[in-house]
């Protein structure tokens, strides 16, 4: 009788312990704990935005381009690589508002000058087609390399000063190496974040001076 009573106590004890262990089990998490890299997300977003803007420029669709432009800053066009430099190598920058970009009229702007002090005055579309999509209005440019927030190559000459004057800005570079080192050309789409959205604040071109 004592053996039976002892056996019952053992069984009950085992059942109690089993119940406690069940209570201690933690549910398996179904949440993906892999962290999202915000820099990679920004890179992806701005690469796609630059591709869209580049296509719109080729189509001369400035009304759509204007939708991507910063509502307060507008967009600044730098004739050379020193974007933001108050001295502006090659002349003063051209800064256009969203409204001015959208209209894309025949207004002539002085975009810059070469080393011989020859000035280049033309409309927005003329500048885009001849100096951004072509090199010095002479030859087609094949932007075969695209980089994010860094230049494809560093050249002696006019320095890329985007981060010196706009430390919070990000840029996407379209780079064409050219047949020789003096025929390279870069196009930089420069963005700054405002209220959680990235807007175009500048387009800088980097070329060997004539």
């Amino acid at each position: 009788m004592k053996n039976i009573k002892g056996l019952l106590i053992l069984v009950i004890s085992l059942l109690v312990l089993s119940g406690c262990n069940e209570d201690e089990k933690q549910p398996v998490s179904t949440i993906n704990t892999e962290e999202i890299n915000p820099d990679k997300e920004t890179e992806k977003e701005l690469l796609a935005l630059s591709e869209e803007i580049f296509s719109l420029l080729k189509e001369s669709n400035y009304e759509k381009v204007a939708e991507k432009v910063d509502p307060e800053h507008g967009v600044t066009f730098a004739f050379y690589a020193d974007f933001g430099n108050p001295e502006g190598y090659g002349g003063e920058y051209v800064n256009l508002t969203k409204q001015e970009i959208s209209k894309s009229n025949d207004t002539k702007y002085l975009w810059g000058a070469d080393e011989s002090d020859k000035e280049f005055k033309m409309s927005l579309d003329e500048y885009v087609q001849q100096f951004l999509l072509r090199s010095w209005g002479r030859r087609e440019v094949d932007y075969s390399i695209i980089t994010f927030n860094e230049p494809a190559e560093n050249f002696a000459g006019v320095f890329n000063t985007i981060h010196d004057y706009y430390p919070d800005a990000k840029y996407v570079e379209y780079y064409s190496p050219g047949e020789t080192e003096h025929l390279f050309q870069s196009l930089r789409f420069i963005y700054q974040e405002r209220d959680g959205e990235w807007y175009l604040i500048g387009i800088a071109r980097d070329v060997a001076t004539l």
Side-chain angles (χ1 to χ4, degrees):
M1 199 67 182
K2 287 182 180 180
N3 289 339
I4 294 174
K5 186 175 180 180
L7 182 61
L8 286 173
I9 292 172
L10 178 62
V11 170
I12 292 170
S13 298
L14 289 173
L15 288 173
V16 170
L17 287 174
S18 175
C20 290
N21 288 335
E22 287 294 326
D23 291 340
E24 290 173 1
K25 287 181 181 179
Q26 298 297 323
V28 177
S29 175
T30 58
I31 299 173
N32 184 2
T33 57
E34 183 179 352
E35 292 185 4
I36 297 174
N37 187 328
D39 290 336
K40 282 295 181 184
E41 290 297 309
T42 297
E43 178 179 351
K44 183 179 178 182
E45 178 183 352
L46 295 185
L47 285 171
L49 184 54
S50 298
E51 183 180 2
E52 182 181 1
I53 292 172
F54 187 66
S55 295
L56 292 171
L57 289 175
K58 289 194 290 186
E59 298 166 3
S60 300
N61 190 342
Y62 298 103
E63 188 173 351
K64 284 291 185 181
V65 171
E67 294 177 2
K68 319 299 180 185
V69 170
D70 186 276
E72 294 186 22
H73 181 278
V75 61
T76 299
F77 293 86
F79 199 64
Y80 292 111
D82 59 340
F83 182 84
N85 190 329
E87 296 181 3
Y89 185 89
E92 294 183 8
Y93 305 123
V94 174
N95 183 269
L96 301 178
T97 65
K98 289 173 66 77
Q99 292 73 22
E100 289 169 329
I101 290 281
S102 181
K103 290 176 183 177
S104 180
N105 52 39
D106 295 328
T107 301
K108 305 290 185 181
Y109 302 96
L110 180 57
W111 300 94
D114 63 20
E115 288 188 317
S116 69
D117 292 328
K118 178 183 177 180
E119 296 181 338
F120 296 92
K121 192 173 184 179
M122 60 195 74
S123 69
L124 170 61
D125 191 52
E126 288 172 335
Y127 178 68
V128 168
Q129 301 304 322
Q130 295 182 35
F131 282 75
L132 300 188
L133 302 182
R134 296 177 66 86
S135 179
W136 295 101
R138 299 173 182 173
R139 65 179 181 86
E140 298 289 340
V141 178
D142 178 20
Y143 293 111
S144 57
I145 299 172
I146 300 174
T147 59
F148 176 70
N149 218 31
E150 61 182 3
E153 287 192 47
N154 289 301
F155 295 93
V158 184
F159 295 110
N160 174 8
T161 56
I162 292 171
H163 290 145
D164 293 337
Y165 296 98
Y166 292 87
D168 297 326
K170 308 284 186 187
Y171 69 90
V172 172
E173 177 178 293
Y174 279 45
Y175 172 70
S176 172
E179 297 173 3
T180 70
E181 63 177 351
H182 294 290
L183 293 178
F184 81 92
Q185 181 159 314
S186 292
L187 190 60
R188 297 183 180 123
F189 297 100
I190 305 154
Y191 303 94
Q192 194 140 282
E193 194 174 22
R194 183 188 297 278
D195 299 327
E197 287 194 42
W198 289 95
Y199 291 99
L200 183 71
I201 63 167
I203 299 178
R205 115 193 210 281
D206 189 7
V207 296
T209 56
L210 287 177

